Amino acid sequence: MNEIENLAVATWTHSSYNDIWPMYYNQFRKCAPFLKKHYMIVNEHDHKHPDSECIQVINKENEPYYKRFTESMAQIEEDYVLYMQEDFVLHSTVKKSNIESIFNFLKNSKHSFV
């Protein structure tokens, strides 16, 4: 299996930071290719973002942050989410075994986050 079932990456970003998106997504594909399902939580739809497979979730920029965050997260289908921001640029290979270990810990415990 190339991806961890029921786990998605959710990247919180803003359209004004679109200059970093190519580097962020290219590094993500290079360093963590096994994390396939990716959501981009952003303030407005963008037709030029560099990851065509990424699902854009649009938040209402005029709403308070907590409301934007919870409404956006509610649109994610998977039960487990790896939260990222566009400036969390990966610089080396992510160890799939470490992600699987954390994922299995959450899945088999009463914890809701790590």
Side-chain angles (χ1 to χ4, degrees):
M1 176 183 287
N2 289 333
E3 58 186 282
I4 301 171
E5 191 175 325
N6 211 14
L7 172 67
V9 177
T11 300
W12 184 274
T13 190
H14 191 274
S15 61
S16 63
Y17 301 134
N18 66 2
D19 60 330
I20 198 169
W21 294 349
M23 179 174 55
Y24 172 80
Y25 285 103
N26 287 334
Q27 284 298 108
F28 213 98
R29 283 191 296 268
K30 177 181 173 185
C31 296
F34 60 90
L35 293 171
K36 301 281 187 192
K37 190 81 177 255
H38 205 130
Y39 293 84
M40 170 193 260
I41 303 171
V42 66
N43 60 304
E44 62 186 24
H45 186 74
D46 188 289
H47 296 284
K48 297 180 283 185
H49 77 89
D51 190 342
S52 61
E53 295 179 15
C54 186
I55 300 164
Q56 291 186 44
V57 174
I58 310 306
N59 65 62
K60 298 173 186 159
E61 192 168 18
N62 295 328
E63 296 285 347
Y65 174 77
Y66 79 90
K67 192 170 184 180
R68 293 165 59 200
F69 186 82
T70 55
E71 288 177 358
S72 296
M73 295 301 282
Q75 294 181 56
I76 295 175
E77 297 175 2
E78 290 70 21
D79 293 328
Y80 300 92
V81 176
L82 175 60
Y83 175 81
M84 300 287 288
Q85 290 181 243
E86 79 285 323
D87 60 346
F88 297 176
V89 178
L90 299 177
H91 58 84
S92 61
T93 302
V94 175
K95 293 183 180 177
K96 184 178 180 183
S97 61
N98 289 351
I99 299 295
E100 288 172 328
S101 177
I102 294 166
F103 176 77
N104 287 326
F105 170 79
L106 281 173
K107 194 172 172 183
N108 298 310
S109 74
K110 293 182 181 182
H111 291 79
S112 59
F113 68 94
V114 174

